[in-house]
Amino acid sequence: MRSDVEYSPVGEGFGMRDFWLYVWLRRAAVIAAHVTGLGLTLIISLLSRPGTSLFSWHPVCMSFYCLCMTEGVLLFSAEGSPFCCKSRKNKVRLHWFCQALVLIAAATGLGFMVASKNVSELPHLVSWHSLLGVSTLTATVLQAAFGICVKFPQLLRLSSPPPRLKLYHATCGLVVYLLATFTVVTAMFSDWFQATVRGVAWWAFLLLPLFPALVVMNQITNAYLPRKKITS
């Protein structure tokens, strides 16, 4: 008895992939997600004025963390990705590189935050942002370990077939990305950010992180939506 699942893009059965407007909208959304992620990283880096304090490096590192995570997922997109012409093997290598940068940025940002709190003699883990942040970083490390399992299933002697491991890895990755998005949103309510950004601009910053999250969620669900189950 063997059970396996085939996965196919949403809309494939309806011929939507051949519909030019559908393809154009998907390409535009992916490009917009690239621009939004890069724009948020640059603006946050400018607003935090890195080097003025230990804390100033925390927003820089964590915005770079989010950018690398976004690019690490979107590089697999067939629409609007600068790496769309690369082979699958090269995309996987780039994904590993992006996720390595994610871990480095996360560790560095956490280190600066802890150091800043210690110098200021402020308590740790007293806000929703900090609690979500620690949960997100823990999930990121676990997801990276899961990625090693997907890459080397034979070496680790895992019983699950590779397609199922990839499904689990993608699903957990989506959860981590959504956790990171919620963490960024809660950062908008911090005293530092509310003192730096006010009015309409604050609302714009509050909504902008949601757009790349929607694009990433759409990409992952499209790639791994169950189509049919085959049992033999």
Side-chain angles (χ1 to χ4, degrees), residues 18-176:
D18 298 325
F19 187 40
W20 67 269
L21 182 59
Y22 173 78
V23 174
W24 184 87
L25 288 175
R26 282 175 61 92
R27 182 175 292 114
V30 173
I31 293 174
H34 284 296
V35 173
T36 302
L38 180 60
L40 277 172
T41 302
L42 292 176
I43 294 173
I44 293 297
S45 298
L46 290 174
L47 290 176
S48 61
R49 295 183 298 168
T52 55
S53 65
L54 284 173
F55 171 80
S56 66
W57 289 104
H58 176 72
V60 176
C61 292
M62 302 321 290
S63 60
F64 185 68
Y65 160 93
C66 292
L67 176 64
C68 292
M69 184 179 290
T70 301
E71 294 302 319
V73 176
L74 293 183
L75 64 85
F76 289 107
S77 174
E79 299 95 357
S81 171
F83 306 104
C84 58
C85 297
K86 297 288 185 180
S87 66
R88 174 77 182 183
K89 182 180 293 185
N90 287 333
K91 286 182 179 180
V92 171
R93 288 171 180 169
L94 286 170
H95 178 74
W96 274 71
F97 177 71
C98 288
Q99 300 314 307
L101 292 179
V102 163
L103 293 175
I104 293 172
T108 306
L110 177 63
F112 277 116
M113 187 71 256
V114 171
S116 176
K117 290 274 190 178
N118 289 339
V119 170
S120 302
E121 297 183 349
L122 295 174
H124 297 279
L125 302 176
V126 293
S127 66
W128 282 110
H129 174 66
S130 60
L131 293 173
L132 273 174
V134 170
S135 300
T136 302
L137 296 184
T138 302
T140 301
V141 174
L142 293 175
Q143 174 65 352
F146 203 165
I148 296 175
C149 296
V150 174
K151 183 66 175 177
F152 307 105
Q154 293 85 5
L155 184 63
L156 298 174
R157 298 181 181 179
L158 299 177
S159 58
S160 297
R164 193 170 294 278
L165 287 175
K166 290 179 181 179
L167 170 63
Y168 296 156
H169 181 58
T171 304
C172 293
L174 177 58
V175 172
V176 173

Side-chain angles (χ1 to χ4, degrees), residues 2-6 228-232:
R2 184 178 62 85
S3 177
D4 202 357
V5 181
E6 292 184 1
K228 61 181 179 180
K229 189 170 184 177
I230 304 173
T231 305
S232 59

